Amino acid sequence: MTEAARWFVGGPGGEAPVVSIVILTWNSRALLAACLEALPAATASIPTEVIVVDNGSRDGTAELLARHHGLVTITNATNRGVAPARNQGLRRARGEMVALLDVDTVPAPGSFATLVARLRAAPRVGLVGPKLVAPDGTLQYSCRRFPTLADKLLRRLPARCGAAVTDDVELRWWDHAGVRPVDYVIGACQLIRKTALDEVGLLDERIFYGPEDVDLCLRLHRAGRGVEYVPEAVVVHLERRV
């Protein structure tokens, strides 16, 4: 077994993982390779398991995964959608905390260690998300307030008015410089306390692709579990659309 593969199965003492990272992929071999390559530095010394759910890829992803013997892999014959496939990974997770991580991300060194430290320091917080940036370092507005029907309607107004609504929903007026309670963070990278997830349940499998991340954060709030944005943790996000 290679050193990289040995890392994926947890700490040197064989202890249970602190974090289980669930990555969903579909015909994204190159992106998956880059994401996996970044994870050892991103998790530092944290015992971690990585669970990859392959949603029916036909691009050689299976061959890539076969080279990482320490991964937990789940292979679907067809594309089951985001929420059902991620739930497959969440059900297999053994960690104290579980992370949902998009395949088109590259977590920075130490990013997961920072997120883990924040969850441990804030026992009533159920979910934290990092600062997401584009490959050129541009900030992505990934923490937001919950959308409303009025927001959707107002965005159809002339450009200036619609932009003002978007700016408000996406908290663009805020400098994103410190930890902040928010309504939700987008699902490109979310670290969730396992006990909080047990309280509110898994992702809604009626949602094939869409606002399952918003729904999860809403249920956490209703259960008295906060959601926080933690900008000291940085993750590069390509925002690939499929």
Side-chain angles (χ1 to χ4, degrees), residues 62-77:
E63 289 77 11
L64 170 67
L65 293 175
R67 296 203 297 268
H68 291 275
H69 300 294
L71 294 173
V72 178
T73 59
I74 300 170
T75 302
N76 294 324

Side-chain angles (χ1 to χ4, degrees), residues 18 90-98 119 126 191-200 202 225:
V18 171
L90 292 173
R91 291 187 183 101
R92 291 282 295 273
R94 300 180 297 122
E96 168 192 343
M97 305 173 193
V98 294
L119 266 189
L191 182 67
I192 312 159
R193 192 185 307 276
K194 184 63 162 55
T195 53
L197 188 64
D198 291 340
E199 289 176 25
V200 303
L202 300 178
R225 294 286 195 167

